[in-house]
Amino acid sequence: MTGNGRHRILTRIATLAICNLTLLALTAVPSAAQAVWGMSTAAVPDAPGFEGYWLYRLNIEWDTTGLGGHSMSHVSFFLELGVCDCACDEGVVTFDSVAGTGVGLDGCELEFLGLYECRGDPSFPDDTPTVKYEHLENGCEPDEAGTATLCFYSRFGPGDPRVHPGSLGIKAGTITEVGDITGVLPLCECGSPVEQATWSLVKSLYR
């Protein structure tokens, strides 16, 4: 990695630390019309094997009581990458085997599978790269209203925190709706993978 590349990463870390303080002052407040909303944060993961990745965590809420009585089918997070030549490259986004958990009917624990649709979620008209979460069929079903924490890893670093209108999508039955997320989204960064040694330095600074 060049000196400029390392400087850019360290500058991003310092900026993100400041932005995270700003994020604490932001609150995800849904409008009356929204069926899904939430907050997103980014951190350098501690898990081995994810050197060069960022861990994104989404804390979401949904309420589909106004969508024909259907419970949540799946949730989509639209990445707003714009024109990004490497959006479909292998390894741009990856997940743990269980990509998230939430509260289901009667308080049971929902588990979610993470999918990356680099050409968009077919359930929505926009073809932007999308991180999609489907609940696992493990005997726990989502309620019409609930909460979940959903995660994914990406080689794309985060931008500044702000409100992103319409960046969350939810499907209930055949109905789809969009809502806002407050926080950070990945930025398209088409370049060489970050060296492990540099990320060890980044981790120490970020902690």
Side-chain angles (χ1 to χ4, degrees):
M1 171 173 289
T2 65
N4 287 339
R6 179 174 300 189
H7 175 74
R8 185 170 62 253
I9 291 172
L10 298 183
T11 300
R12 175 71 61 77
I13 292 293
T15 302
L16 186 61
I18 296 172
C19 289
N20 281 341
L21 295 177
T22 304
L23 185 58
L24 294 177
L26 299 175
T27 304
V29 180
S31 72
Q34 287 188 12
V36 63
W37 63 94
M39 297 188 72
S40 62
T41 58
V44 177
D46 290 326
F50 289 99
E51 293 81 5
Y53 281 90
W54 290 88
L55 170 61
Y56 289 86
R57 181 174 286 108
L58 317 177
N59 291 302
I60 69 163
E61 299 181 54
W62 69 87
D63 185 346
T64 63
T65 54
L67 303 183
H70 299 288
S71 61
M72 181 265 291
S73 173
H74 74 260
V75 173
S76 295
F77 182 37
F78 311 119
L79 297 190
E80 299 182 4
L81 293 176
V83 178
C84 185
D85 293 338
C86 58
C88 289
D89 287 1
E90 184 177 357
V92 165
V93 172
T94 189
F95 306 87
D96 289 318
S97 56
V98 175
T101 58
V103 179
L105 279 170
D106 301 320
C108 64
E109 184 179 66
L110 286 169
E111 293 184 335
F112 290 86
L113 174 70
L115 303 167
Y116 179 51
E117 304 279 1
C118 74
R119 304 190 187 281
D121 180 350
S123 298
F124 293 85
D126 197 349
D127 59 357
T128 187
T130 299
V131 176
K132 179 179 174 181
Y133 298 93
E134 297 179 345
H135 72 275
L136 297 171
E137 300 292 341
N138 59 358
C140 182
E141 294 294 325
D143 204 344
E144 290 182 15
T147 63
T149 298
L150 309 170
C151 298
F152 68 96
Y153 300 90
S154 179
R155 292 194 180 278
F156 294 156
D160 294 336
R162 62 179 179 85
V163 177
H164 300 271
S167 286
L168 281 175
I170 190 168
K171 184 176 182 182
T174 59
I175 303 172
T176 58
E177 293 285 343
V178 297
D180 303 345
I181 195 160
T182 301
V184 296
L185 269 71
L187 298 175
C188 178
E189 296 176 330
C190 298
S192 59
V194 179
E195 295 176 358
Q196 182 173 347
T198 300
W199 271 94
S200 296
L201 175 61
V202 168
K203 286 180 179 180
S204 67
L205 292 173
Y206 194 77
R207 294 194 189 110

